[in-house]
Amino acid sequence: MNLIVDYARADASSYEQFFHPFFPIVPRETFNPGRLQWLSRYEPHLFSAILTVASKDEEALHQVCYDHMQQLISNILAGADANVEAVEALLLLSQWVSHRPQVAVTVGRGEEDRVAWMYIGTALRLGYFLEIDRTSFNSDTQEDPAKFRRKRLVWAACYICDRQVSVRVGKGFWARGPGPLSGLKADNFPTLQRTNEHDEDFATIFQANLELTQIFSNVHDILYSSKGHAWKEMLEGRYAKYLDDFRYSIRTWMENWGSLNCMPSWTYL
């Protein structure tokens, strides 16, 4: 038992250092070594996803974590109870897709994007079922503020993940909001705020990523919805307006965020 706990602590620490900075949706307290046993019991999907991702370079351990994670996902699909932590878990798995054991590696053939698309799709359906999509627009709630903030961050991450993977695989979007009218800013994600001067500014980076995602989402919406009418759109001169709008949007984004440092500090060591 102690050996298992030691492995869990090591992998959680590894995840916090090498993976979390690139997709910082896991609550800070999750990485507290003293909470690991609590986490394994009450947030098993998130706990298993963290270990699955962090153990990618340890084949035997990764096999065990992968198999257990797939069983948990199967239980969700079969109707087992799941909460926002399961949505977080599915999003983590979509960002660092594990190659299925005993299956030939197919990097470059779209398998990773396809698997990520399925993970994100499951996360979205679960998110809609849990009604966490409402957090994008409704801040007047009687819910515990910490839980509300967690759900709002996760749903914004769902939106970003859905847009990014859908563009890569050439599919339509599944998630609605948070759109440009939601007005979400860095201040709306207090769990990503710096706690000291040495922390990365994850909240600002997340806002910049969200705004960039909204820009190329608009472009993809136009191109995807007009697949069969592309020539008509061009002949009628509509694409010129679309291009002008895109140039203005991306220029504004660059003015606001072009100098933002998005590299975790440890990459410079």
Side-chain angles (χ1 to χ4, degrees):
M1 181 63 183
N2 291 335
L3 183 60
I4 295 175
V5 172
D6 288 343
Y7 269 124
R9 285 176 179 168
D11 279 347
S13 177
S14 175
Y15 181 91
E16 181 182 17
Q17 181 178 3
F18 297 113
F19 297 93
H20 179 69
F22 296 98
F23 193 59
I25 69 168
V26 177
R28 280 194 182 96
E29 59 271 18
T30 300
F31 301 115
N32 182 346
R35 279 177 59 90
L36 287 180
Q37 289 188 342
W38 180 93
L39 191 71
S40 66
R41 181 174 181 179
Y42 294 104
E43 297 191 351
H45 305 89
L46 181 58
F47 176 76
S48 297
I50 288 172
L51 298 189
T52 300
V53 172
S55 64
K56 287 170 70 72
D57 295 328
E58 304 172 66
E59 187 173 348
L61 179 59
H62 183 66
Q63 174 84 49
V64 174
C65 295
Y66 177 90
D67 290 342
H68 182 63
M69 190 74 243
Q70 295 308 306
Q71 183 59 55
L72 291 176
I73 294 174
S74 297
N75 291 343
I76 292 176
L77 298 177
D81 288 339
N83 212 319
V84 64
E85 57 92 19
V87 180
E88 292 168 339
L90 289 163
L91 293 183
L92 297 190
L93 295 172
S94 76
Q95 299 303 296
W96 292 283
V97 172
S98 297
H99 293 290
R100 288 171 292 170
Q102 287 84 48
V103 175
V105 176
T106 55
V107 174
R109 301 181 189 178
E111 172 154 325
E112 289 186 342
D113 285 342
R114 180 170 61 84
V115 175
W117 192 68
M118 297 301 293
Y119 279 139
I120 294 166
T122 305
L124 287 170
R125 292 189 71 98
L126 180 57
Y128 280 128
F129 180 77
L130 297 172
E131 299 183 342
I132 65 174
D133 57 305
R134 298 183 179 184
T135 60
S136 295
F137 308 99
N138 180 20
S139 57
D140 182 18
T141 177
Q142 302 302 315
E143 188 174 17
D144 175 69
K147 292 181 180 179
F148 178 83
R149 291 192 293 265
R150 182 175 183 178
K151 290 179 179 179
R152 180 159 57 186
L153 173 61
V154 171
W155 188 250
C158 281
Y159 169 86
I160 291 174
C161 291
D162 172 54
R163 264 38 183 180
Q164 291 178 348
V165 77
S166 295
V167 168
R168 294 202 302 269
V169 300
K171 302 293 184 182
F173 301 138
W174 288 18
R176 59 176 181 269
L181 297 180
S182 66
L184 292 179
K185 305 295 183 183
D187 291 343
N188 295 119
F189 306 109
T191 57
L192 299 182
Q193 300 289 342
R194 288 172 168 166
T195 57
N196 60 66
E197 61 181 9
H198 301 294
D199 281 350
E200 303 296 337
D201 192 358
F202 290 136
T204 300
I205 294 172
F206 194 86
Q207 180 187 342
N209 192 11
L210 179 60
E211 291 183 7
L212 183 61
T213 302
Q214 289 166 341
I215 292 172
F216 72 67
S217 292
N218 293 336
V219 175
H220 183 73
D221 270 335
I222 293 168
L223 297 177
Y224 184 82
S225 63
S226 61
K227 275 184 176 180
H229 308 283
W231 284 107
K232 183 179 179 181
E233 295 275 352
M234 284 188 282
L235 290 173
E236 292 179 354
R238 297 180 190 173
Y239 272 8
K241 179 181 182 303
Y242 298 152
L243 288 172
D244 287 342
D245 289 344
F246 170 72
R247 289 193 189 99
Y248 174 78
S249 298
I250 201 66
R251 190 182 304 118
T252 301
W253 186 92
M254 284 296 297
E255 290 173 356
N256 292 334
W257 307 112
S259 61
L260 183 64
N261 178 17
C262 298
M263 292 298 291
S265 58
W266 60 262
T267 59
Y268 298 107
L269 299 179

